[in-house]
Amino acid sequence: MRSRNIAPLLAVSAVATLVPALAPATASAAENPMKQYLQQKPAWHRCDTSTPARLQCADIKVPLDYSRPGGKQIRVAISRIRTATSAERRGVLLINPGGPGGPGIDMPLLLEADLPKAVKKQYDLIGFDPRGVGQSSPVSCGLNSKEEIWERPYKAATFEKDVSWARTVAKKCHAKAGDKLRHITTRNTARDMDVIRSVLGEKKISYLGYSYGTYLGAVYTQMFPRRADRFVLDSAVDPKRIWRGMIQVWAEGAEPAFTRWTEWTARRHAQYKLGKTPEAVRKTFWDLVARADRKPIELDGTAMTGDDIRGGRAMFFSVSAAAEAIAELKKAAAGKPSGPTGKPRTPERPAPPSFGRAVPPDNGTASFWSVVCGDTRAWPRDPEQYRRDAIQDKSRYPLYGDFSSNIMPCAFWKNGSEPATTVDNKVKALILQNEWDPQTPLTTGLGLHSALKGSRMVTVAGGEGHGIYGSKSCADKTATAYLTTGKLPAKDVTCRATSAARQEARRLPLPAPPGIPGMR
């Protein structure tokens, strides 16, 4: 969010009055309209013939609109791998992989091999597809592949086309799924999590959330502070930046990463031949961008424009991979044979179990925009504001500033069902953050840490990549200790990344939000 500025005051509404009603299990249906949801008995079964029998799945029902629990219902798909040691069992560990729009029903299986035995002894691992995603009543906008592309550099000549695209996406989404879209929000997904808690018979839940999942977890702690047990929030979103600010921070964070890369690469001129000084490396890069703007450079069978090169800003958070990629680009520009670019890519993630139920091809994009646009009312409505911001930010952040501030469908999106959540509480939580994370830079981790006043933060100095826990990081030990003992560190922790952890982080099976640059 992955992976991107205001947090309005939480409105008092009919929905908010339902929050206390989620707790009692003894009230009659008339007194507690949520009873039909809280007392469901999930019918567990093997998820799919292609998955191990130990991964069990079930569907539960939740209200589309929590202010009208007697109204339309939607399906939420959940999964579990139960602990084999019931005597040591503490409870459940819900897992969210990020997004928004990332399916999570297969996460217990994907993380099972990477989580320590001590954690798996104490917790049933619980996965779920958030509402509107995957197997959970998936939304669709009926978008074609071209309409799903949203990395759009600002150009005066094409801005009106970009505005038309943004308006079209919003219009198609509301025409096809308007009855659902305003309720596909983080607050409602947090409420769904609390229904899952009740259905599983738990008084509290523990939680492991990556990327967008850190914001979802933070919202849960704000809405249900007494039901949050041990929360690990990995690669963190700043609640005050949702969501335009979280997209703009990619440009802000790319500039120091690029500077670090030029310094690192200059010290290795003999290997990469990109320049003996940081200034020379920088000039080499921008000369290649200018060259590709005049005539695209053929690389790995793809014609790369200057905008394509700038759009790969995430690679500069991994200095060695970026040096290899730009060295190959330089060879290609000179007409010399080039090898693989070495550009970091999101690992291919096995398709989640299908249950024989089709998922719309644009579901990831549709659910992404539903949350990003519907969570907050802070998106500007005037297209000219986006034009001004894109021009200004391209000057401030040359790599990606115009991409991140250009027009988005949210400019034309109808309001979600509620204003954004103000996260400000003292619930205990552990935040894990790589220093060089391309999707949630260090500054956004610090932002979440500030909002969660009961939290501790582990910063991995020199850490590269998006997603930490389970990657053999130096932060793993602290996270495992917290999950198994409940004890947070006495103060914030900084540890030094190892080369093995840097390589492992790139293979961590985390989905990138649709269209995130440099993470495909």
Side-chain angles (χ1 to χ4, degrees):
M1 345 103 88
R2 172 196 281 142
S3 176
R4 216 217 217 256
N5 269 331
I6 294 174
L9 293 175
L10 177 62
V12 177
S13 66
V15 176
T17 65
L18 281 176
V19 174
L22 292 182
T26 57
S28 68
E31 294 171 336
N32 181 9
M34 289 298 299
K35 184 177 180 180
Q36 61 178 311
Y37 302 105
L38 301 175
Q39 296 185 0
Q40 295 175 82
K41 302 297 181 185
W44 294 105
H45 56 86
R46 184 173 182 172
C47 290
D48 194 83
T49 55
S50 64
T51 59
R54 65 183 181 279
L55 180 66
Q56 299 177 309
C57 288
D59 290 336
I60 63 172
K61 295 293 185 180
V62 297
L64 173 64
D65 181 354
Y66 274 86
S67 71
R68 297 179 179 178
K72 186 174 182 179
Q73 299 177 338
I74 59 173
R75 177 182 65 239
V76 170
I78 60 176
S79 65
R80 71 179 181 184
I81 293 180
R82 304 181 75 176
T83 178
T85 56
S86 57
E88 299 181 51
R89 183 184 182 277
R90 175 178 178 81
V92 296
L93 180 68
L94 269 67
I95 306 170
N96 180 274
I105 200 164
D106 54 346
M107 287 304 288
L109 188 62
L110 288 174
L111 287 184
E112 184 184 28
D114 295 320
L115 293 178
K117 291 181 180 179
V119 171
K120 290 182 288 188
K121 284 182 179 180
Q122 292 194 26
Y123 297 98
D124 296 342
L125 306 181
I126 306 296
F128 66 102
D129 283 353
R131 60 169 50 208
V133 176
Q135 300 302 312
S136 294
S137 298
V139 293
S140 170
C141 297
L143 302 176
N144 60 44
S145 57
K146 289 185 178 180
E147 289 168 335
E148 289 192 75
I149 298 172
W150 64 282
E151 296 173 52
R152 294 170 181 264
Y154 172 78
K155 296 182 185 302
T158 59
F159 183 68
E160 290 305 320
K161 290 183 179 179
D162 293 340
V163 172
S164 177
W165 159 80
R167 184 182 288 111
T168 297
V169 169
K171 184 176 180 180
K172 290 183 73 170
C173 286
H174 286 283
K176 191 171 181 65
D179 62 329
K180 280 187 182 181
L181 289 185
R182 66 189 305 266
H183 302 293
I184 307 299
T185 64
T186 299
R187 285 182 64 82
N188 280 328
T189 300
R191 292 185 176 103
D192 296 342
M193 287 171 55
D194 206 56
V195 172
I196 294 172
R197 173 201 60 78
S198 179
V199 166
L200 296 178
E202 302 292 334
K203 293 182 178 180
K204 294 185 175 184
I205 58 171
S206 293
Y207 178 80
L208 171 59
Y210 295 93
S211 192
Y212 162 74
T214 65
Y215 179 65
L216 173 59
V219 170
Y220 185 91
T221 67
Q222 189 68 34
M223 296 177 68
F224 306 100
R226 296 181 180 179
R227 297 169 199 159
D229 193 10
R230 300 170 184 178
F231 272 46
V232 175
L233 307 176
D234 187 324
S235 307
V237 167
D238 183 349
K240 290 185 177 181
R241 291 179 181 256
I242 65 153
W243 281 109
R244 192 182 187 213
M246 282 303 300
I247 295 173
Q248 290 174 318
V249 81
W250 298 339
E252 180 184 331
E255 295 302 321
F258 182 74
T259 296
R260 170 181 176 247
W261 171 75
T262 63
E263 294 167 351
W264 185 92
T265 304
R267 295 194 296 270
R268 293 161 179 82
H269 175 69
Q271 179 178 356
Y272 297 110
K273 297 179 172 54
L274 294 175
K276 295 181 179 180
T277 66
E279 293 74 17
V281 174
R282 184 180 294 267
K283 183 177 186 303
T284 296
F285 172 79
W286 286 109
D287 284 350
L288 287 168
V289 170
R291 157 73 168 78
D293 276 337
R294 294 191 299 272
K295 180 180 179 182
I297 300 171
E298 191 80 17
L299 181 68
D300 293 348
T302 300
M304 302 284 290
T305 66
D307 291 333
D308 293 330
I309 297 169
R310 290 193 302 121
R313 54 95 210 169
M315 65 181 166
F316 294 107
F317 288 79
S318 174
V319 288
S320 60
E324 293 167 11
I326 300 305
E328 293 300 325
L329 185 68
K330 182 182 177 183
K331 290 180 184 177
K336 299 178 181 178
S338 63
T341 62
K343 180 180 177 179
R345 302 172 70 90
T346 297
E348 290 296 324
R349 175 179 174 177
S354 68
F355 309 99
R357 299 195 297 236
V359 177
D362 70 332
N363 174 241
T365 299
S367 54
F368 177 71
W369 289 125
S370 296
V371 173
V372 167
C373 300
D375 261 4
T376 175
R377 298 173 183 177
W379 286 92
R381 296 298 185 176
D382 180 5
E384 289 303 313
Q385 181 67 55
Y386 292 88
R387 184 200 298 270
R388 291 191 295 269
D389 291 348
I391 292 170
Q392 175 179 288
D393 285 353
K394 185 173 184 179
S395 175
R396 296 167 65 192
Y397 312 120
L399 266 180
Y400 200 71
D402 55 322
F403 283 84
S404 64
S405 288
N406 203 359
I407 191 81
M408 304 279 176
C410 302
F412 305 102
W413 209 266
K414 294 180 182 179
N415 285 340
S417 56
E418 302 170 83
T421 304
T422 298
V423 177
D424 181 13
N425 63 62
K426 297 180 180 180
V427 176
K428 292 182 179 180
L430 183 67
I431 299 169
L432 309 181
Q433 185 67 46
N434 272 331
E435 182 180 8
W436 298 104
D437 183 324
Q439 305 309 112
T440 52
L442 179 58
T443 184
T444 66
L446 293 170
L448 181 59
H449 186 26
S450 176
L452 295 177
K453 295 174 175 56
S455 66
R456 293 289 184 270
M457 182 166 166
V458 182
T459 302
V460 183
E464 297 178 350
H466 188 53
I468 297 173
Y469 192 47
S471 67
K472 299 181 174 63
S473 167
C474 60
D476 282 13
K477 183 178 179 180
T478 304
T480 298
Y482 171 55
L483 285 173
T484 55
T485 70
K487 294 180 180 179
L488 286 171
K491 57 183 180 180
D492 292 343
V493 175
T494 298
C495 62
R496 174 64 58 178
T498 64
S499 57
R502 291 193 187 102
Q503 294 299 320
E504 191 71 22
R506 296 175 199 161
R507 298 199 299 269
L508 202 61
L510 302 178
I516 281 182
M519 296 293 286
R520 295 185 296 262

